[in-house]
Amino acid sequence: MDEMSGFITHYLISGPLLTDFIADKADKNQIRYEQYLRSIVAERNKPAPSDNIKIGDKSELGLPWEYYYPGSGFVNISQFSVTPKKVELLAATGLVAQEDMEIRAILWTYTAVDVWLGDQKICSVTEPVYKPIKKKEIKLVLKEGYNALLIRMQNLAVRDTRNIFGIQLLEHREKVAPALPDAEHAEPFLALDHWLSGIEMKGNRIYFPADAPCKVYLTYDDASNDKDCVDVSGMSCADVKRDMVMAVVYGEIQHKKMIRKIELLHNKKPAYRQSASSDEIRRAMFEELSLMGAEPAFQPLRFGLFYVLARWHLGKKAVQDEAHINQALEQMERREDCSDFFLAGLLRMMQSFSLPAALSAKAEQTILNYRYWMTEDGSDGMCFWSENHALMFYICAFMAGNQYPDKIFPRSGRTGLQVSEVAKDRIRQWLADIEEYGFEEFLSADYMCVTLGALLNVVDYMEEEESERAVRLVDLMLKSFACHTFRGSIIAPQARIYRSVILPFTQSAQALIHLLNPETPVGNSEWMVFLMNSKYRMPHHYASLMNGPLEMEYQTGNAWVKLEKQQDYMLTSVQSPRYDEKPSFWENISFDDSADIESNLYIKSFNERFHGTSRFEPGVQGYQQHMWYAALDNDTVVFSNHPGEMADDGGMRPGYWYGNGIMPAIKQQGNLLGVIYDIGEDHPIAFTHLFFPASKFDSVSKDGQWLFGQKDGGYVAIWCSDAMVPHNDRLIDCEYRVYGTRMAYICQCGSKEEFESLGHFRDYCQTLSPAFDHSKLKLSASNGYTLASIRSENKTQYV
């Protein structure tokens, strides 16, 4: 049991079992359709799982019972599903009570869950939700001795899926102890779990606890790497290879591997090309992409069709090219989520190349029968409505209609010419919206490469008016990235982000920065294939914005972004709430039954509900939004967030390092920024944490409530109202947790040029004398800085 939070941490599980799930009922409103699927996916009144549980034996699901590792407090089997499926999972744990007693507890879940205590059902959540997490109070009537807890979880898997539940004890934790069924066989797993959690690392040396419960091994990248595998049983330490980026320590019990991954962040460094021109870089990137999937034996690749397109543009066909194209066609036929990406590539390919006869016929049928919008006939789990997906579907429809102008597209009943006309109107609405408000998925260094691909199809295959408007928007995208580039990498608050947040030079849009400026770190993305024959020309003059001081603030979507960039540091954020003089917001109309559900404003409103709001306010449920960054180098960044899950690499949105469970209050004034978190009682994660990678700095020190970092001539200082507790998970010496539901941070940046020395900078920070009133949620500093957090709620964030 987690002593800090009260969550039960150890379970046996069977599953997940995934089966195809689709309803005959269709709906032109995808939110409503998926809500309907969730309402029927869970079978009611199913009996408790059998309590005759043995590790390795099969449950009623036909899958073996296994020890669940790692135990963070949640059973978290989150996943991404490209088509709708039903998820089923069984779990079992237990509590040993010192006496007969009652304990108040909470079940946290996004799923449908039934819980039995012994043979009595004590809790039932009948319908899953997408977000936010559900909280249900339960009463555990325990008898002295062992008490079995059995759990049945059911959920709808569609795109990113939160297969999560956790049980939190609210009282009398000192009088109960966790236990597992099949205790004799579970004991070796518990022992290995405990041993793996005791691993420490300093520099390039891993230190192992004594008395490993079984043979244990050290390898790299993943546990299947036999080439570099070393038996470390009985060893107290081992040096890791200096060029490796992931160390893997594992043991095996009853043919089940338990694996601890340690990311060697200090070995992850940006790479550069020496003395390469922009043209040479462009050719090198395209050559690199063309090599993907060019092997004689077919290896399925998600973007295999894109790599074929790269080869064909270079005049280098490969033996498996038709197989890659056929794979993409099959994904489109199944209408997998993101199959619109492959369709955009296919339609682009067909503008320049002829397909072999058999593939051409199959492509025609696939294109005609595709579902280009959620109001067309059919049902599936495709995401139509994010900023990048919406334009992608629009331009695909436009190009498909032009490809087959006289054919009937059966899902809409329109001719190709009509399909193109409808799509053209939608594209114009999308362009006009971005021209007025800026990008809603602003500065998203992974997602905006997708938007780039869609825009380049507009640039290259629409008429002059739309083409020129699209060129200006690509320019705007690249200019924004250039402004937020520091020492060659994009350092930016972002509307949607993934774990690449911890190492900005690994983000997809690094490819664009590298194309703009050859002196920046190397990057590449499959979406660069769309540039190969495009008439769009990179605005290389924007490279001048990457270097030198820059102070700016601006609106994009509903957000207000601030940027302070100096030679030796950068501080940037979105304000929560906005403090600009005359805030202007677009309004969400997705709850208006009379709204035009095919208008761009409705789709934009739809997107806000699913993928998070850019109207940042403290207390609002978060998604993938990244709120602030301080940087001293392109791989040396600092930020805080409220995690959406308990442990690194859980796969959720929001995740451990990316996004926020609950939005904070934020205000930036020049090179100082304040943050207040008020998590509240309706979110299970009662801590925030700070990303502060010690190995990336030249020096790190702590003085009272202040944490200082220095690299080259740049300085950063973090103050927190509550204790910053070092914590190691997948990352070592990178994380400080702050436990509680209310806390505040201050981030102060500076440089040798401004403060003469690190000592002078430290002295200045101490004079700020920050103070935080936990009850009134007010933060202040001696220089006149103030920030107050007033809790808000945004009903669009409940799905």
Side-chain angles (χ1 to χ4, degrees):
M1 188 181 303
D2 187 302
E3 294 181 3
M4 184 70 71
S5 65
F7 276 91
I8 298 173
T9 54
H10 295 105
Y11 292 85
L12 301 184
I13 67 168
S14 177
L17 174 67
L18 279 77
T19 52
D20 289 336
F21 187 81
I22 201 77
D24 293 334
K25 177 181 177 180
D27 197 316
K28 295 182 183 299
N29 181 314
Q30 190 76 12
I31 288 182
R32 195 164 56 209
Y33 174 64
E34 291 177 9
Q35 287 174 330
Y36 168 70
L37 292 182
R38 289 189 179 94
S39 74
I40 64 172
V41 72
E43 297 177 61
R44 310 288 200 267
N45 301 317
K46 293 197 78 170
S50 169
D51 60 2
N52 184 25
I53 296 169
K54 300 292 183 185
I55 294 175
D57 286 359
K58 290 184 177 179
S59 73
E60 66 189 67
L61 299 180
L63 299 171
W65 283 100
E66 299 178 323
Y67 179 80
Y68 178 68
Y69 174 82
S72 65
F74 283 115
V75 172
N76 183 355
I77 317 290
S78 293
Q79 66 198 96
F80 194 94
S81 182
V82 295
T83 57
K85 295 185 182 293
K86 178 177 180 176
V87 186
E88 296 176 85
L89 180 133
L90 305 178
T93 188
L95 296 170
V96 177
Q98 295 178 6
E99 58 191 53
D100 291 354
M101 60 194 304
E102 292 185 6
I103 295 181
R104 290 186 303 114
I106 294 175
L107 171 70
W108 299 92
T109 187
Y110 294 93
T111 71
V113 173
D114 295 307
V115 182
W116 289 264
L117 178 59
D119 58 1
Q120 296 295 314
K121 182 185 284 191
I122 60 169
C123 179
S124 188
V125 176
T126 58
E127 292 187 13
V129 293
Y130 182 61
K131 63 176 184 177
I133 196 166
K134 284 187 174 183
K135 172 185 180 182
K136 186 156 187 176
E137 292 197 18
I138 55 179
K139 182 170 67 174
L140 301 175
V141 181
L142 303 180
K143 297 178 181 179
E144 182 180 352
Y146 179 76
N147 297 263
L149 281 166
L150 298 171
I151 300 99
R152 180 186 298 276
M153 187 191 83
Q154 301 177 83
N155 199 16
L156 173 71
V158 55
R159 300 182 305 281
D160 62 302
T161 303
R162 298 158 167 81
N163 297 320
I164 295 177
F165 74 85
I167 298 174
Q168 182 183 25
L169 307 187
L170 299 180
E171 58 187 358
H172 304 313
R173 297 170 190 166
E174 74 284 357
K175 295 183 178 181
V176 294
L180 288 173
D182 197 14
E184 180 182 353
H185 295 106
E187 182 55 37
F189 292 95
L190 288 163
L192 180 56
D193 187 331
H194 180 74
W195 187 90
L196 289 168
S197 68
I199 292 172
E200 297 180 354
M201 187 164 187
K202 295 179 181 177
N204 272 319
R205 179 166 290 179
I206 295 181
Y207 292 87
F208 306 112
D211 302 323
C214 62
K215 279 193 171 294
V216 287
Y217 302 89
L218 169 65
T219 187
Y220 300 93
D221 297 329
D222 62 62
S224 63
N225 179 8
D226 295 328
K227 179 182 176 182
D228 297 303
C229 192
V230 177
D231 186 339
V232 293
S233 306
M235 296 173 60
S236 61
C237 62
D239 291 328
V240 300
K241 294 185 176 181
R242 292 189 176 272
D243 59 340
M244 296 296 183
V245 296
M246 184 72 72
V248 178
V249 182
Y250 71 90
E252 187 169 352
I253 299 173
Q254 299 178 26
H255 308 294
K256 173 71 175 178
K257 286 182 179 177
M258 290 173 57
I259 302 164
R260 170 87 186 270
K261 291 186 175 182
I262 299 174
E263 193 166 350
L264 307 175
L265 207 64
H266 54 285
N267 288 340
K268 288 191 170 184
K269 299 176 182 178
Y272 297 85
R273 300 184 199 270
Q274 298 300 318
S275 304
S277 68
S278 294
D279 286 342
E280 289 170 333
I281 287 171
R282 187 182 178 96
R283 284 195 299 272
M285 290 171 65
F286 296 158
E287 288 280 355
E288 184 178 290
L289 292 170
S290 74
L291 294 174
M292 302 289 289
E295 302 86 356
F298 178 67
Q299 295 286 337
L301 297 171
R302 186 179 183 218
F303 286 94
L305 181 142
F306 284 30
Y307 308 133
V308 173
L309 186 54
R311 282 193 288 278
W312 287 13
H313 279 308
L314 295 174
K316 298 180 178 181
K317 293 191 175 183
V319 294
Q320 297 296 342
D321 284 354
E322 290 189 28
H324 286 295
I325 297 171
N326 193 61
Q327 177 195 351
L329 289 171
E330 290 172 354
Q331 291 171 302
M332 295 175 221
E333 287 176 340
R334 290 191 295 270
R335 300 201 303 280
E336 293 183 1
D337 185 49
C338 296
S339 59
D340 51 313
F341 298 172
F342 314 134
L343 180 56
L346 175 68
L347 290 165
R348 191 174 187 93
M349 175 181 281
M350 293 171 68
Q351 296 295 315
S352 300
F353 305 101
S354 295
L355 298 178
L359 278 181
S360 180
K362 185 173 182 178
E364 178 177 335
Q365 290 306 307
T366 300
I367 292 168
L368 292 175
N369 198 47
Y370 197 69
R371 189 170 179 235
Y372 289 91
W373 202 244
M374 57 186 171
T375 54
E376 296 184 359
D377 289 347
S379 55
D380 46 57
M382 292 193 294
C383 173
F384 296 89
W385 52 84
S386 72
E387 187 170 74
N388 61 78
H389 275 296
L391 181 61
M392 192 69 72
F393 275 99
Y394 299 160
I395 188 59
C396 283
F398 177 84
M399 293 175 70
N402 280 350
Q403 185 76 24
Y404 305 106
D406 300 321
K407 299 280 188 178
I408 296 294
F409 285 64
R411 294 193 181 278
S412 65
R414 300 183 178 114
T415 65
L417 185 61
Q418 292 170 327
V419 167
S420 284
E421 286 302 310
V422 170
K424 182 188 290 187
D425 177 64
R426 292 175 180 174
I427 291 168
R428 287 173 171 171
Q429 288 185 52
W430 190 98
L431 295 171
D433 180 76
I434 305 299
E435 289 164 346
E436 180 176 2
Y437 286 101
F439 289 101
E440 188 69 20
E441 294 180 351
F442 61 87
L443 296 165
S444 298
D446 288 323
Y447 281 105
M448 291 197 82
C449 286
V450 182
T451 307
L452 171 77
L455 279 168
L456 289 178
N457 275 5
V458 176
V459 169
D460 293 325
Y461 304 116
M462 289 196 73
E463 295 171 4
E464 185 175 356
E465 177 192 343
E466 291 79 24
S467 176
E468 290 180 353
R469 292 171 72 185
V471 165
R472 290 192 290 271
L473 290 183
V474 177
D475 284 349
L476 173 64
M477 177 193 301
L478 295 177
K479 183 178 181 181
S480 298
F481 278 149
C483 289
H484 281 270
T485 295
F486 179 69
R487 298 192 176 180
S489 290
I490 299 165
I491 312 291
Q494 302 184 33
R496 296 183 67 191
I497 198 167
Y498 287 102
R499 196 176 179 275
S500 56
V501 65
I502 67 174
L503 288 174
F505 67 88
T506 65
Q507 298 171 122
S508 295
Q510 186 63 39
L512 294 170
I513 298 303
H514 190 47
L515 279 174
L516 280 177
N517 184 350
E519 297 179 0
T520 60
V522 172
N524 209 344
S525 164
E526 57 275 345
W527 290 99
M528 298 306 102
V529 168
F530 283 53
L531 283 167
M532 290 186 75
N533 69 327
S534 178
K535 63 184 180 184
Y536 179 78
R537 293 294 171 258
M538 296 290 288
H540 291 284
H541 59 282
Y542 287 157
S544 63
L545 297 170
M546 297 180 186
N547 303 312
L550 186 61
E551 299 176 29
M552 60 189 299
E553 52 185 286
Y554 59 93
Q555 178 171 340
T556 179
N558 277 330
W560 191 261
V561 177
K562 286 196 173 185
L563 168 64
E564 174 85 9
K565 180 164 64 172
Q566 301 298 333
Q567 180 177 340
D568 293 311
Y569 67 83
M570 180 171 171
L571 184 65
T572 184
S573 63
V574 288
Q575 308 311 288
S576 175
R578 283 173 58 171
Y579 296 98
D580 49 305
E581 289 186 5
K582 296 181 179 179
S584 60
F585 302 102
W586 61 267
E587 295 296 328
N588 191 297
I589 64 169
S590 66
F591 296 101
D592 182 354
D593 291 336
S594 65
D596 178 2
I597 65 173
E598 294 195 347
S599 68
N600 189 73
L601 179 55
Y602 187 88
I603 301 310
K604 183 178 179 179
S605 301
F606 214 91
N607 181 47
E608 182 180 34
R609 294 184 66 185
F610 262 86
H611 292 128
T613 182
S614 65
R615 186 165 180 165
F616 299 122
E617 298 169 304
V620 170
Q621 297 284 337
Y623 195 70
Q624 289 175 276
Q625 304 98 327
H626 183 62
M627 304 297 285
W628 71 275
Y629 257 137
L632 302 186
D633 206 343
N634 56 31
D635 67 343
T636 310
V637 295
V638 173
F639 63 88
S640 64
N641 75 308
H642 174 231
E645 54 192 340
M646 289 282 201
D648 203 349
D649 255 6
M652 225 188 75
R653 307 183 202 178
Y656 191 68
W657 286 119
Y658 53 93
N660 286 270
I662 300 294
M663 291 291 189
I666 291 183
K667 183 171 74 172
Q668 179 179 342
Q669 288 182 188
N671 61 358
L672 183 144
L673 174 144
V675 189
I676 297 174
Y677 292 93
D678 177 19
I679 299 168
E681 301 301 321
D682 292 326
H683 198 284
I685 312 295
F687 67 86
T688 62
H689 59 176
L690 176 73
F691 181 72
F692 201 95
S695 65
K696 295 293 185 179
F697 292 93
D698 294 336
S699 68
V700 171
S701 59
K702 200 169 186 297
D703 185 359
Q705 291 174 271
W706 285 97
L707 181 65
F708 298 94
Q710 173 262 325
K711 187 166 188 181
D712 301 327
Y715 311 135
V716 63
I718 301 292
W719 174 91
C720 189
S721 59
D722 296 77
M724 292 186 281
V725 181
H727 183 82
N728 294 322
D729 190 344
R730 175 168 165 166
L731 299 175
I732 306 293
D733 293 335
C734 293
E735 176 180 4
Y736 290 86
R737 283 187 174 185
V738 182
Y739 292 97
T741 57
R742 290 184 167 189
M743 67 282 291
Y745 296 84
I746 276 182
C747 175
Q748 173 72 57
C749 293
S751 66
K752 186 175 181 180
E753 182 180 357
E754 296 168 339
F755 289 95
E756 296 185 11
S757 70
L758 178 60
H760 284 87
F761 176 70
R762 288 165 57 104
D763 291 343
Y764 170 77
C765 291
Q766 295 288 359
T767 67
L768 290 173
S769 302
F772 178 57
D773 187 322
H774 288 76
S775 61
K776 296 181 180 179
L777 291 170
K778 291 185 177 181
L779 175 65
S780 61
S782 64
N783 65 350
Y785 178 91
T786 59
L787 173 63
S789 178
I790 300 174
R791 195 171 184 86
S792 300
E793 187 173 39
N794 187 332
K795 67 178 182 179
T796 71
Q797 298 307 292
Y798 292 74
V799 180

